[in-house]
Amino acid sequence: MSDLLYSEVEDDLRAGVRGMLDDKAPWGEVLAGTERDEPYDAALWGAVAVRLGCAGLPVPEELGGAGATWREAAVVMEELGRAVAPVPFLTSAVLATAALLAAGERELLAEVASGDRIAVLAVPLSTAPGGPATGAVRAADGTLTGRVGSVADGAAADVLLVPAPDGLYAVDAAAAERTPVISLDMTRRLCDLTFSAAPARRVAGGTAAVEAALTTGAALLASEQLGLAERCLDLTVAHLKTRYQFGRPVGSYQGLKHRLADLWTAITQARAVARYAVACVADGDPDTAVAVAVAQAHCSAVAVQAAEECVQMHGGIGFTWEHPAHLYLKRAKSDAIALGTPDRHRAALAVLLDLPPA
């Protein structure tokens, strides 16, 4: 059984990341960024990826990484979820990095780990582990032709990692036509990618690298959902302690106390399953597939519940554009379909545990 407690190193990393995000990504700045055309916050990404060195946490030191594990990367994901930060950490530092590590692609991995380049795995955001990822892209004579829809952070990428039937290919993002898609979560924007005989280099054969990336991404996405849910609970409790109605704090009403107690319990459970999932990924545990399915099935629902309660318990102000509650709700709803819906993961769990069909 893996140790689910946070280490001293992880606590120090959390403090550093949280302090930086509180300074550079307050919710007002994040909200203002949703009104701009930039696909991500480049200055914030520079601080996260380069100054704090978070882009290469699980990458070996000889390749310019930190030589840490996915557990440390999960702590960063918690804090980025807490801030709804508009940076391509999930897509570049997790999904693409996991694919490159599995592929053994050293040169490109070093560039991504240093923060010099942003790599994005070119699959629809909704793609779940074990699901089809090759889409309609075909390789021929060192080029790729086809289309991939709804790719998260595709517009922010410098290099695209594109699955094809015979393997995984690296493509310069400038060689693809990128069409922005209206996204529910404007802090993690989507785009459609079209390749027309785009020059490509194969970095891995088969589907193992893509599957490793999707599994790792789903595990760490649970940590983002955990951080988001914890922040929503903190904001809601703070509001209910100071908001008065009929001469008493709103938080003194028993009905709201019960709802918050239920939410706290669900978040505590989410922390356990999220930590176990990332520990399994970090250790290469044979229980990884089961742990990831459980984490996504539970944490997706908890994040949405926490965000909905945050909106509702803030009353009228919680429904306004000026309050950050809608940022959390949109990220939670988007995360709930990212890398597989809860229903998709429950179905996968039933197969993994050999449960009889309904």
Side-chain angles (χ1 to χ4, degrees):
M1 180 66 181
S2 300
D3 183 1
L4 303 186
L5 298 177
Y6 295 100
S7 68
E8 185 177 343
V9 171
E10 290 171 307
D11 288 337
D12 290 343
L13 175 62
R14 180 190 307 282
V17 174
R18 181 174 298 188
M20 184 274 296
L21 291 172
D22 287 345
D23 179 50
K24 295 186 175 296
W27 70 263
E29 185 62 29
V30 174
L31 179 59
T34 64
E35 305 272 9
R36 296 192 283 264
D37 293 332
E38 290 82 358
Y40 71 108
D41 188 330
L44 181 60
W45 175 242
V48 173
V50 180
R51 197 177 85 189
L52 294 181
C54 293
L57 282 173
V59 177
E61 292 184 45
E62 60 267 24
L63 295 179
T69 72
W70 289 113
R71 292 176 63 122
E72 286 77 18
V75 171
V76 177
M77 285 290 289
E78 287 182 33
E79 293 305 306
L80 294 177
R82 181 179 179 275
V84 204
V87 293
F89 189 87
L90 171 66
T91 47
S92 184
V94 177
L95 287 167
T97 295
L100 293 171
L101 283 169
E105 171 57 38
R106 298 173 63 87
E107 181 180 352
L108 182 53
L109 184 60
E111 294 176 344
V112 173
S114 67
D116 291 339
R117 303 185 80 184
I118 296 172
V120 168
L121 184 64
V123 298
L125 180 60
S126 59
T127 306
T134 57
V137 177
R138 296 292 179 269
D141 301 323
T143 65
L144 292 182
T145 299
R147 180 179 178 278
V148 184
S150 300
V151 177
D153 293 323
D158 299 307
V159 60
L160 298 165
L161 302 178
V162 187
D166 63 336
L168 182 66
Y169 287 80
V171 179
D172 191 318
E177 178 184 347
R178 295 182 279 187
T179 305
V181 175
I182 296 176
S183 310
L184 171 63
D185 177 13
M186 292 300 288
T187 63
R188 178 174 288 148
R189 304 190 188 195
L190 309 178
C191 76
D192 293 338
L193 304 175
T194 303
F195 303 94
S196 299
R201 176 174 64 89
R202 194 168 82 157
V203 297
T207 61
V210 176
E211 185 61 22
L214 294 173
T215 300
T216 303
L220 271 76
L221 181 63
S223 292
E224 176 178 287
Q225 292 165 325
L226 169 62
L228 184 153
E230 289 179 327
R231 183 63 181 277
C232 287
L233 178 60
D234 291 344
L235 288 173
T236 306
V237 170
H239 175 76
L240 295 185
K241 284 181 177 180
T242 57
R243 173 66 174 171
Y244 276 71
Q245 285 186 351
F246 307 109
R248 57 187 289 192
V250 174
S252 66
Y253 290 95
Q254 190 176 52
L256 298 185
K257 287 181 179 180
H258 287 175
R259 287 166 61 178
L260 289 175
D262 289 342
L263 180 57
W264 182 89
T265 301
I267 291 174
T268 301
Q269 294 168 337
R271 184 180 302 109
V273 297
R275 290 290 291 171
Y276 182 64
V278 75
C280 286
V281 170
D283 298 339
D285 194 289
D287 198 36
T288 295
V290 172
V292 169
V294 170
Q296 271 305 302
H298 181 70
C299 293
S300 292
V302 171
V304 171
Q305 178 190 358
E308 290 176 342
E309 294 284 43
C310 183
V311 171
Q312 293 175 16
M313 292 195 193
H314 273 81
I317 189 65
F319 290 81
T320 65
W321 183 260
E322 290 76 14
H323 194 274
H326 68 93
L327 294 175
Y328 292 100
L329 181 60
K330 291 170 183 175
R331 174 65 70 90
K333 286 286 191 180
S334 175
D335 281 357
I337 63 171
L339 303 176
T341 64
D343 283 348
R344 169 67 176 76
H345 285 285
R346 280 191 285 269
L349 185 62
V351 173
L352 290 167
L353 299 180
D354 197 26
L355 296 178

